[in-house]
mmCIF file of all heavy atoms in Angstrom:
data_model
loop_
_atom_site.group_PDB
_atom_site.id
_atom_site.type_symbol
_atom_site.label_atom_id
_atom_site.label_comp_id
_atom_site.label_asym_id
_atom_site.label_seq_id
_atom_site.Cartn_x
_atom_site.Cartn_y
_atom_site.Cartn_z
ATOM 1 N N GLY M 26 -186.027 -38.117 136.532
ATOM 2 C CA GLY M 26 -187.268 -37.655 135.915
ATOM 3 C C GLY M 26 -187.396 -36.146 136.045
ATOM 4 O O GLY M 26 -187.858 -35.463 135.129
ATOM 5 N N ARG M 27 -186.988 -35.626 137.191
ATOM 6 C CA ARG M 27 -187.094 -34.181 137.413
ATOM 7 C C ARG M 27 -186.223 -33.395 136.426
ATOM 8 O O ARG M 27 -186.658 -32.398 135.843
ATOM 9 C CB ARG M 27 -186.659 -33.889 138.856
ATOM 10 C CG ARG M 27 -186.691 -32.428 139.276
ATOM 11 C CD ARG M 27 -186.275 -32.403 140.729
ATOM 12 N NE ARG M 27 -185.996 -31.112 141.290
ATOM 13 C CZ ARG M 27 -186.815 -30.469 142.135
ATOM 14 N NH1 ARG M 27 -187.976 -30.986 142.453
ATOM 15 N NH2 ARG M 27 -186.455 -29.319 142.654
ATOM 16 N N MET M 28 -184.998 -33.867 136.212
ATOM 17 C CA MET M 28 -184.116 -33.150 135.296
ATOM 18 C C MET M 28 -184.566 -33.324 133.844
ATOM 19 O O MET M 28 -184.384 -32.435 133.015
ATOM 20 C CB MET M 28 -182.664 -33.560 135.535
ATOM 21 C CG MET M 28 -182.151 -33.011 136.881
ATOM 22 S SD MET M 28 -180.432 -33.384 137.263
ATOM 23 C CE MET M 28 -180.607 -34.905 138.187
ATOM 24 N N VAL M 30 -187.783 -33.519 133.069
ATOM 25 C CA VAL M 30 -188.913 -32.580 133.015
ATOM 26 C C VAL M 30 -188.398 -31.150 132.789
ATOM 27 O O VAL M 30 -188.912 -30.407 131.949
ATOM 28 C CB VAL M 30 -189.749 -32.687 134.314
ATOM 29 C CG1 VAL M 30 -190.633 -31.469 134.517
ATOM 30 C CG2 VAL M 30 -190.600 -33.963 134.290
ATOM 31 N N HIS M 31 -187.358 -30.780 133.521
ATOM 32 C CA HIS M 31 -186.797 -29.432 133.353
ATOM 33 C C HIS M 31 -186.354 -29.210 131.897
ATOM 34 O O HIS M 31 -186.645 -28.173 131.298
ATOM 35 C CB HIS M 31 -185.593 -29.235 134.279
ATOM 36 C CG HIS M 31 -185.970 -29.063 135.721
ATOM 37 N ND1 HIS M 31 -185.139 -29.406 136.759
ATOM 38 C CD2 HIS M 31 -187.093 -28.594 136.298
ATOM 39 C CE1 HIS M 31 -185.732 -29.141 137.903
ATOM 40 N NE2 HIS M 31 -186.920 -28.650 137.657
ATOM 41 N N GLN M 34 -189.437 -29.105 129.477
ATOM 42 C CA GLN M 34 -190.215 -27.868 129.607
ATOM 43 C C GLN M 34 -189.479 -26.704 128.952
ATOM 44 O O GLN M 34 -190.080 -25.855 128.302
ATOM 45 C CB GLN M 34 -190.510 -27.588 131.080
ATOM 46 C CG GLN M 34 -191.484 -28.618 131.661
ATOM 47 C CD GLN M 34 -191.791 -28.410 133.117
ATOM 48 O OE1 GLN M 34 -191.106 -27.653 133.802
ATOM 49 N NE2 GLN M 34 -192.811 -29.090 133.617
ATOM 50 N N THR M 40 -195.256 -31.839 130.316
ATOM 51 C CA THR M 40 -194.738 -33.125 130.806
ATOM 52 C C THR M 40 -195.789 -33.821 131.665
ATOM 53 O O THR M 40 -196.603 -33.173 132.331
ATOM 54 C CB THR M 40 -193.463 -32.922 131.655
ATOM 55 O OG1 THR M 40 -193.768 -32.029 132.722
ATOM 56 C CG2 THR M 40 -192.317 -32.383 130.828
ATOM 57 N N VAL M 42 -195.764 -37.061 134.503
ATOM 58 C CA VAL M 42 -194.956 -37.994 135.296
ATOM 59 C C VAL M 42 -195.894 -38.991 135.954
ATOM 60 O O VAL M 42 -196.903 -38.593 136.544
ATOM 61 C CB VAL M 42 -194.180 -37.232 136.398
ATOM 62 C CG1 VAL M 42 -193.545 -38.181 137.403
ATOM 63 C CG2 VAL M 42 -193.119 -36.329 135.768
ATOM 64 N N SER M 49 -192.927 -36.955 144.924
ATOM 65 C CA SER M 49 -191.786 -37.318 144.070
ATOM 66 C C SER M 49 -191.146 -36.063 143.469
ATOM 67 O O SER M 49 -191.841 -35.124 143.079
ATOM 68 C CB SER M 49 -192.215 -38.289 142.973
ATOM 69 O OG SER M 49 -192.901 -37.603 141.952
ATOM 70 N N PRO M 50 -189.795 -36.040 143.395
ATOM 71 C CA PRO M 50 -189.089 -34.853 142.890
ATOM 72 C C PRO M 50 -189.578 -34.397 141.516
ATOM 73 O O PRO M 50 -189.719 -33.193 141.276
ATOM 74 C CB PRO M 50 -187.631 -35.315 142.838
ATOM 75 C CG PRO M 50 -187.518 -36.325 143.943
ATOM 76 C CD PRO M 50 -188.847 -37.056 143.933
ATOM 77 N N ALA M 51 -189.883 -35.335 140.601
ATOM 78 C CA ALA M 51 -190.325 -34.930 139.267
ATOM 79 C C ALA M 51 -191.807 -34.589 139.247
ATOM 80 O O ALA M 51 -192.225 -33.643 138.570
ATOM 81 C CB ALA M 51 -190.033 -36.038 138.253
ATOM 82 N N GLY M 52 -192.591 -35.346 140.015
ATOM 83 C CA GLY M 52 -194.032 -35.086 140.045
ATOM 84 C C GLY M 52 -194.328 -33.663 140.477
ATOM 85 O O GLY M 52 -195.245 -33.014 139.963
ATOM 86 N N ARG M 53 -193.500 -33.174 141.386
ATOM 87 C CA ARG M 53 -193.748 -31.835 141.941
ATOM 88 C C ARG M 53 -193.478 -30.710 140.955
ATOM 89 O O ARG M 53 -193.914 -29.583 141.168
ATOM 90 C CB ARG M 53 -192.874 -31.621 143.185
ATOM 91 C CG ARG M 53 -193.258 -32.553 144.315
ATOM 92 C CD ARG M 53 -192.351 -32.374 145.491
ATOM 93 N NE ARG M 53 -192.909 -31.442 146.444
ATOM 94 C CZ ARG M 53 -192.425 -31.199 147.645
ATOM 95 N NH1 ARG M 53 -191.338 -31.796 148.059
ATOM 96 N NH2 ARG M 53 -192.995 -30.354 148.449
ATOM 97 N N VAL M 54 -192.726 -30.982 139.900
ATOM 98 C CA VAL M 54 -192.418 -29.903 138.949
ATOM 99 C C VAL M 54 -193.038 -30.139 137.575
ATOM 100 O O VAL M 54 -192.795 -29.379 136.630
ATOM 101 C CB VAL M 54 -190.884 -29.696 138.795
ATOM 102 C CG1 VAL M 54 -190.271 -29.260 140.114
ATOM 103 C CG2 VAL M 54 -190.183 -30.954 138.272
ATOM 104 N N SER M 55 -193.820 -31.203 137.443
ATOM 105 C CA SER M 55 -194.379 -31.552 136.138
ATOM 106 C C SER M 55 -195.763 -30.918 135.943
ATOM 107 O O SER M 55 -196.473 -30.664 136.915
ATOM 108 C CB SER M 55 -194.490 -33.070 136.038
ATOM 109 O OG SER M 55 -195.053 -33.455 134.812
ATOM 110 N N HIS M 56 -196.146 -30.694 134.676
ATOM 111 C CA HIS M 56 -197.502 -30.199 134.409
ATOM 112 C C HIS M 56 -198.540 -31.179 134.933
ATOM 113 O O HIS M 56 -199.568 -30.794 135.455
ATOM 114 C CB HIS M 56 -197.725 -30.013 132.900
ATOM 115 C CG HIS M 56 -196.849 -28.969 132.294
ATOM 116 N ND1 HIS M 56 -195.639 -29.259 131.722
ATOM 117 C CD2 HIS M 56 -197.009 -27.634 132.190
ATOM 118 C CE1 HIS M 56 -195.088 -28.149 131.274
ATOM 119 N NE2 HIS M 56 -195.888 -27.145 131.549
ATOM 120 N N HIS M 57 -198.297 -32.465 134.695
ATOM 121 C CA HIS M 57 -199.223 -33.494 135.156
ATOM 122 C C HIS M 57 -198.458 -34.470 136.031
ATOM 123 O O HIS M 57 -197.351 -34.886 135.664
ATOM 124 C CB HIS M 57 -199.811 -34.291 133.973
ATOM 125 C CG HIS M 57 -200.435 -33.429 132.931
ATOM 126 N ND1 HIS M 57 -201.719 -32.953 133.035
ATOM 127 C CD2 HIS M 57 -199.944 -32.943 131.759
ATOM 128 C CE1 HIS M 57 -201.997 -32.219 131.971
ATOM 129 N NE2 HIS M 57 -200.930 -32.190 131.185
#
Side-chain angles (χ1 to χ4, degrees):
R27 180 178 169 105
M28 290 182 268
V30 162
H31 286 153
Q34 292 179 346
T40 57
V42 169
S49 77
R53 294 177 94 172
V54 297
S55 179
H56 296 93
H57 306 277

